[in-house]
Amino acid sequence: MARVAKKEKAGDFIKFLGTAGARFVMIKQLRASGGLWVSYKGTNVIIDPGPGSIVRCAASKPKLDPSKLDGIILTHRHLDHSGDINVMIEAMTEGGFKKRGAVFCPEDSTGEDTVILKHAESFPEKIEILKANKSYKLGEFEFETSMRHIHPAETYGIRFNMGKTSVSLLTDTKYFKELADFYKTDVLIITVVFFEPRPGIDHLCLDDAEQIIRLTKPKKAILTHFGMTMLSAKPHIQAEKLSKKLGIEVLAAYDGMTLNF
Ligand SMILES: [Zn+2]
Ligand SMILES: [Zn+2]
């Protein structure tokens, strides 16, 4: 009975193990780059375990145990999203001794220039290739992929339900107006790398995020994946401004931030 009570107490949550966006914030670790841990009805998933993800799990309060992972999702192969993929695979499979868990990633994360080491490929029960606009299931956790994003690597955002609350993660992309069609959810987690527009680089800036929030009208929008210019502009101040302007709750994610459901 005690075990049941403990499990119920943990509940369903999403924890930010990192809020760094793009290269320099990651390299300097001005923000951590550990990805998002999602725990839903006892199924544990890590999305985009960037560099230091395993360290962030161990430093997390309460600790997150990567050997309890059921799955790993990569939205795309860039290092700030995939740096710790191999160590997470090892953790999930008890050092490769126990065949378990699933890895979901776009096709270009595997193959010739794979981000998953050849020796680790056979550790999980399956490696499933993500395609645009498809549904996937992992234990109790189900998610859908978005349309293909405009980004140098093959990239998909995802959408899932935490009980009655729909959540989406809009990962790296250049802005295009059809994004709003997929990301209409109660909670929208959105990557905002640049404070000001940087034409020619396939990332969102704050104006793009504003436009997407305006179009998708979430109950709560959470800005994350900050580049240097966003950090200088103080994300929490920018989030407050957007909240006032749009009449929608907009928050700036911080390392260790937890959303409970
Ligand atoms: Zn990124
Ligand atoms: Zn990227």
Side-chain angles (χ1 to χ4, degrees):
M1 288 301 282
R3 204 176 284 166
V4 173
K6 202 174 171 191
K7 200 171 182 184
E8 278 171 2
K9 203 179 150 211
D12 301 330
F13 67 90
I14 298 175
K15 185 161 189 174
F16 289 77
L17 296 175
T19 53
R23 271 162 232 188
F24 299 107
V25 174
M26 171 195 78
I27 289 166
K28 293 173 193 280
Q29 287 290 295
L30 298 174
R31 293 287 184 106
S33 46
L36 285 181
W37 182 294
V38 181
S39 197
Y40 183 64
K41 292 187 176 172
T43 298
N44 296 309
V45 184
I46 196 157
I47 306 168
D48 288 347
S53 190
I54 193 124
V55 179
R56 301 323 306 168
C57 287
S60 177
K61 285 181 184 141
K63 267 191 206 310
L64 293 169
D65 181 355
S67 69
K68 300 278 190 304
L69 280 173
D70 300 287
I72 304 167
I73 301 170
L74 291 189
T75 63
H76 65 297
R77 59 170 292 138
H78 285 161
L79 269 181
D80 54 325
H81 300 254
S82 70
D84 268 11
I85 178 82
N86 292 292
V87 77
M88 284 303 177
I89 290 174
E90 284 222 350
M92 180 170 74
T93 59
E94 293 180 21
F97 289 109
K98 197 169 176 189
K99 199 168 179 71
R100 62 180 294 276
V103 176
F104 300 87
C105 61
E107 189 153 30
D108 69 352
S109 299
T110 62
E112 203 171 313
D113 186 22
T114 176
V115 294
I116 301 168
L117 292 171
K118 290 283 174 206
H119 88 269
E121 264 176 8
S122 61
F123 293 171
E125 260 168 25
K126 62 173 177 182
I127 295 181
E128 208 168 327
I129 300 300
L130 296 177
K131 303 266 185 218
N133 303 115
K134 291 260 181 294
S135 302
Y136 299 85
K137 189 167 162 52
L138 176 68
E140 294 293 323
F141 183 75
E142 291 177 46
F143 66 99
E144 284 171 74
T145 47
S146 69
M147 71 290 275
R148 187 170 172 166
H149 282 190
I150 301 176
H151 200 54
E154 187 179 347
T155 305
Y156 304 105
I158 65 168
R159 188 166 75 183
F160 51 93
N161 290 320
M162 298 291 280
K164 290 194 171 71
T165 309
S166 56
V167 179
S168 59
L169 168 64
L170 199 170
T171 189
D172 294 351
T173 186
K174 175 183 172 172
Y175 179 83
F176 55 102
K177 74 177 189 330
E178 292 79 11
L179 280 169
D181 301 339
F182 180 79
Y183 291 101
K184 286 194 176 88
T185 47
D186 299 324
V187 177
L188 168 67
I189 301 170
I190 180 166
T191 59
V192 190
V193 172
F194 299 131
F195 179 52
E196 286 176 324
R198 290 270 288 275
I201 304 182
D202 296 338
H203 275 297
L204 299 179
C205 69
L206 192 62
D207 286 349
D208 298 329
E210 178 181 331
Q211 182 61 8
I212 291 165
I213 295 167
R214 207 187 281 280
L215 293 171
T216 53
K217 298 184 183 63
K219 289 186 184 133
K220 190 197 291 263
I222 301 171
L223 315 180
T224 188
H225 214 56
F226 305 121
M228 294 295 250
T229 54
M230 267 307 287
L231 283 190
S232 303
K234 299 202 168 56
H236 68 281
I237 305 251
Q238 301 308 325
E240 222 176 274
K241 279 191 193 164
L242 276 188
S243 292
K244 285 203 185 108
K245 198 167 167 185
L246 302 175
I248 289 171
E249 185 186 8
V250 181
L251 301 172
Y254 53 87
D255 294 344
M257 178 171 156
T258 305
L259 306 173
N260 291 296
F261 295 88

